[in-house]
């Protein structure tokens, strides 16, 4: 089982709104944990809201995301993680 931790500039509501497209499978939420599984991967996510990051008058939400991936192989887990991260990638400009 692989474990990854991220700090994301999202609110909990934003994270949950984007999650279905990022994981492309059914999602269950209970006891403070979000989980799901597909044919070759099962995963669990724990979210912790952090104090906003303040830069002058700018305030950015912060969310600590802990992701546990159980997959048939490291290659499968890495590919799933890559697709998950793409689901939250934002374009700059």
């Amino acid at each position: 089982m692989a474990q990854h931790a991220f700090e994301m500039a999202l609110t909990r509501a934003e994270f949950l709104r984007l999650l279905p497209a990022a994981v492309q499978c059914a999602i269950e939420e209970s006891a403070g944990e979000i989980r799901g599984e597909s044919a070759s991967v099962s995963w669990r996510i724990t979210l912790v809201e952090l104090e906003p990051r303040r830069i002058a008058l700018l305030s950015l939400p912060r969310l600590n995301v802990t992701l546990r991936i159980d997959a048939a192989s490291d290659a499968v887990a890495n590919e799933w993680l890559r697709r998950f991260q793409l689901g939250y990638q934002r374009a700059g400009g």
Side-chain angles (χ1 to χ4, degrees):
M1 180 181 300
Q3 181 169 313
H4 305 274
F6 307 98
E7 184 178 298
M8 301 176 90
L10 296 168
T11 64
R12 180 182 178 85
E14 289 171 323
F15 182 89
L16 294 174
R17 180 178 57 80
L18 295 170
L19 184 61
V23 297
Q24 299 179 357
C25 69
I27 299 166
E28 295 178 27
E29 186 173 2
S30 66
E33 191 172 74
I34 305 160
R35 58 178 80 93
E37 66 181 77
S38 62
S40 57
V41 177
S42 64
W43 51 268
R44 295 180 295 167
I45 297 173
T46 305
L47 303 175
V48 176
E49 293 181 73
L50 304 171
E51 290 293 318
R53 183 171 311 277
R54 299 194 187 286
I55 304 168
L57 296 175
L58 179 66
S59 179
L60 297 172
R62 291 190 313 146
L63 193 61
N64 185 30
V65 179
T66 302
L67 173 60
R68 292 171 196 86
I69 304 169
D70 189 13
S73 69
D74 287 343
V76 171
N78 289 336
E79 178 59 23
W80 188 91
L81 179 60
R82 186 188 70 75
R83 285 192 319 266
F84 172 83
Q85 289 174 322
L86 282 173
Y88 285 95
Q89 193 170 44
R90 298 178 187 186

